[in-house]
Amino acid sequence: MTADNVTSLGQAPVAIYRRRRVLRRGGLPLQVVGRIGSGILVLWAAVTLSFISIQLAPGDIVSLLIGEQIRTPEVEAAIRAEWGLDQSLFEQYLAYLSKLRHGDLGRSYILQTDISGLVASQILPTLKLTAAALVVAIIFAVASAILTAGKRIPRSIAGGLELTLISTPSFWLGILLLYVFSFTLKIFPVSGDRNLSALVLPALSLGLSLGAVLGQVLREGLERALEEPFALTVRSWGTSDLVLRLRHGLRHAALPAVTLAGWLVGNLLSGAVITEAVFGRPGLGRITVDAVLAHDMPVVLAVAILSALIYVAMSTLVDILYLMLDPRLRDEGGRQPA
């Protein structure tokens, strides 16, 4: 074997290592693009299923649109042409996809107005409630896990409270909060969306049950993290237990909770509909209930698609955040490089 061959063999592991380092540096952007592409496919599937479900819903759309007018073949033909109902279902589907691509959600059967403007005027209160509920859930979960992980009595108390919150429907919890803090103590307003004080009780009723679920998952992960060798090393540095939990243990325990939080965002959106009704708040919940009662299918379809969009966006964001939190997932197949 020549000296050149020995040199080339000795450099081979270094070249492989460098190549893997390059692949790892480029792996995260590629995986992010893949996650976004998957999210777009899921959203398309949600739009398609929602469109099919609306088409299969009972009732005659033409009769709804005619209303109290005298039904004649001419009037019926004019309405079908105006709303595109004279086309085949596949043509209507393609036309609807084309409108969605330009941000057009269609027109309301009952209100005779563009749904995009209707949704835009009501989405802010719903997003504000959902975001506030998510903040409540995160604060509750982190505080519960940090203060009770590895402590037998506090853990039992927190577990009982979390089980109670999980078992209590959000609307029933909202009624209890209204009775105590609005009707009895008169601390918070009963209904409306005048200021931040009107957001406290709805956010608590919607976010506490989610926080209870996240708290259980986060506590389990934190207890496992505190038993890892790195925790013993950090303690040997003289670090306090609270700093160990916040700075080191919480990051290792957060991965399952982050994934679960992204999945439960859909529950927040669906729960917001009932919560807005209980507290008399404006938002998508009110227009959804009105649309269902009036059989205004385009509005129902638009709200369903918007909910799917938010859910897919949050799930994709959670997947990307998961990749950023755990570098091991950026390697091919999730394996550590040799």
Side-chain angles (χ1 to χ4, degrees), residues 194-209:
R194 294 185 297 273
N195 47 44
L196 287 179
S197 63
L199 186 62
V200 174
L201 295 185
L204 287 175
S205 65
L206 189 58
L208 284 178
S209 59

Side-chain angles (χ1 to χ4, degrees), residues 6-65:
V6 173
T7 302
S8 62
L9 288 176
Q11 291 176 347
V14 177
I16 294 173
Y17 174 75
R18 288 177 178 173
R19 181 174 176 271
R20 288 186 175 181
R21 287 291 300 273
V22 172
L23 289 176
R24 290 182 65 186
R25 284 196 294 266
L28 181 58
L30 291 177
Q31 293 194 34
V32 168
V33 171
R35 294 296 195 277
I36 295 175
S38 299
I40 293 175
L41 289 177
V42 172
L43 182 60
W44 168 76
V47 170
T48 303
L49 290 176
S50 299
F51 182 84
I52 295 174
S53 301
I54 292 300
Q55 297 299 325
L56 295 177
D60 184 13
I61 297 177
V62 176
S63 299
L64 180 65
L65 292 172

Side-chain angles (χ1 to χ4, degrees), residues 22-290:
V22 172
L23 289 176
R24 290 182 65 186
R25 284 196 294 266
L28 181 58
L30 291 177
Q31 293 194 34
V32 168
V33 171
R35 294 296 195 277
I36 295 175
S38 299
I40 293 175
L41 289 177
V42 172
L43 182 60
W44 168 76
V47 170
T48 303
L49 290 176
S50 299
F51 182 84
I52 295 174
S53 301
I54 292 300
Q55 297 299 325
L56 295 177
D60 184 13
I61 297 177
V62 176
S63 299
L64 180 65
L65 292 172
I66 290 177
E68 297 180 356
Q69 301 181 56
I70 298 177
R71 184 162 186 167
T72 63
E74 293 77 12
V75 171
E76 182 176 339
I79 289 179
R80 288 185 178 275
E82 179 184 0
W83 292 88
L85 299 176
D86 55 343
Q87 302 175 349
S88 66
L89 285 180
F90 185 69
E91 290 175 332
Q92 294 180 42
Y93 171 70
L94 293 180
Y96 191 74
L97 288 182
S98 178
K99 290 180 180 179
L100 286 180
R101 195 164 54 88
H102 296 89
D104 185 2
L105 296 174
R107 291 174 58 198
S108 168
Y109 289 160
I110 304 301
L111 301 178
Q112 297 290 313
T113 184
D114 288 336
I115 300 175
S116 300
L118 179 64
V119 169
S121 65
Q122 298 296 322
I123 191 173
L124 184 59
T126 299
L127 291 180
K128 185 165 64 174
L129 173 59
T130 303
L134 187 59
V135 170
V136 168
I138 293 174
I139 293 176
F140 180 88
V142 171
S144 175
I146 291 294
L147 297 176
T148 63
K151 303 175 182 179
R152 186 172 62 85
I153 296 179
R155 191 185 195 283
S156 300
I157 297 175
L161 176 61
E162 289 164 352
L163 181 60
T164 301
L165 291 174
I166 294 173
S167 305
T168 304
S170 60
F171 72 89
W172 179 244
L173 181 59
I175 293 174
L176 292 178
L177 292 175
L178 277 174
Y179 176 77
V180 175
F181 294 101
S182 296
F183 295 111
T184 304
L185 300 178
K186 301 184 184 302
I187 298 176
F188 299 104
V190 177
S191 62
D193 186 30
R194 294 185 297 273
N195 47 44
L196 287 179
S197 63
L199 186 62
V200 174
L201 295 185
L204 287 175
S205 65
L206 189 58
L208 284 178
S209 59
L210 173 60
V213 176
L214 293 179
Q216 291 182 344
V217 175
L218 195 59
R219 184 186 302 109
E220 293 289 340
L222 185 57
E223 288 176 344
R224 288 194 301 267
L226 294 177
E227 296 176 355
E228 295 291 332
F230 79 88
L232 180 61
T233 303
V234 173
R235 287 192 181 98
S236 67
W237 298 342
T239 305
S240 65
D241 184 66
L242 181 59
V243 173
L244 169 63
R245 291 167 181 253
L246 287 174
R247 291 190 57 185
H248 303 280
L250 194 60
R251 179 177 179 181
H252 290 77
L255 295 179
V258 166
T259 302
L260 184 62
W263 180 73
L264 290 175
V265 166
N267 289 345
L268 285 180
L269 291 172
S270 60
V273 174
I274 302 176
T275 303
E276 287 173 351
V278 171
F279 289 91
R281 291 179 54 84
L284 294 178
R286 176 173 296 179
I287 66 173
T288 302
V289 172
D290 293 342

